[in-house]
Amino acid sequence: PTFQISKENDKTVVIVSASTLKRWVYLSAPEDMGVFSDNAFDVFPEESKKIYYTGNLSMEQLKEKLELTHLG
């Protein structure tokens, strides 16, 4: 999967998308105690999933640290 990070009404938003089905996509940012509004979700082909991030990382820091894993 791929991701984009942006701001929406002072909230940090992560938009996850994929060209093929990705099961159980999990977001993490090592060494950060931030919270994602959803985690461990499926991403369907040509669709995107909007996730809100709440934590201490700036948008730039989150872009550097964000890790996406999935089952396939």
Side-chain angles (χ1 to χ4, degrees):
T2 60
F3 67 88
Q4 296 178 345
I5 299 175
S6 61
K7 283 285 190 184
E8 181 180 289
N9 299 325
D10 293 330
K11 294 182 181 180
T12 301
V13 179
V14 180
I15 298 176
V16 181
S17 58
S19 59
T20 60
L21 175 63
K22 299 300 179 194
R23 295 269 185 197
W24 206 257
V25 176
Y26 183 79
L27 307 176
S28 62
E31 302 175 20
D32 178 53
M33 298 300 292
V35 175
F36 296 96
S37 62
D38 194 1
N39 225 337
F41 51 85
D42 294 340
V43 178
F44 294 92
E46 308 306 325
E47 293 185 5
S48 59
K49 178 89 173 171
K50 184 186 287 188
I51 308 296
Y52 294 94
Y53 165 80
T54 304
N56 295 322
L57 297 179
S58 68
M59 259 180 36
E60 292 75 25
Q61 290 171 319
L62 186 60
K63 283 179 187 177
E64 291 175 13
K65 293 182 181 258
L66 184 63
E67 294 180 358
L68 280 75
T69 57
H70 60 87
L71 293 180

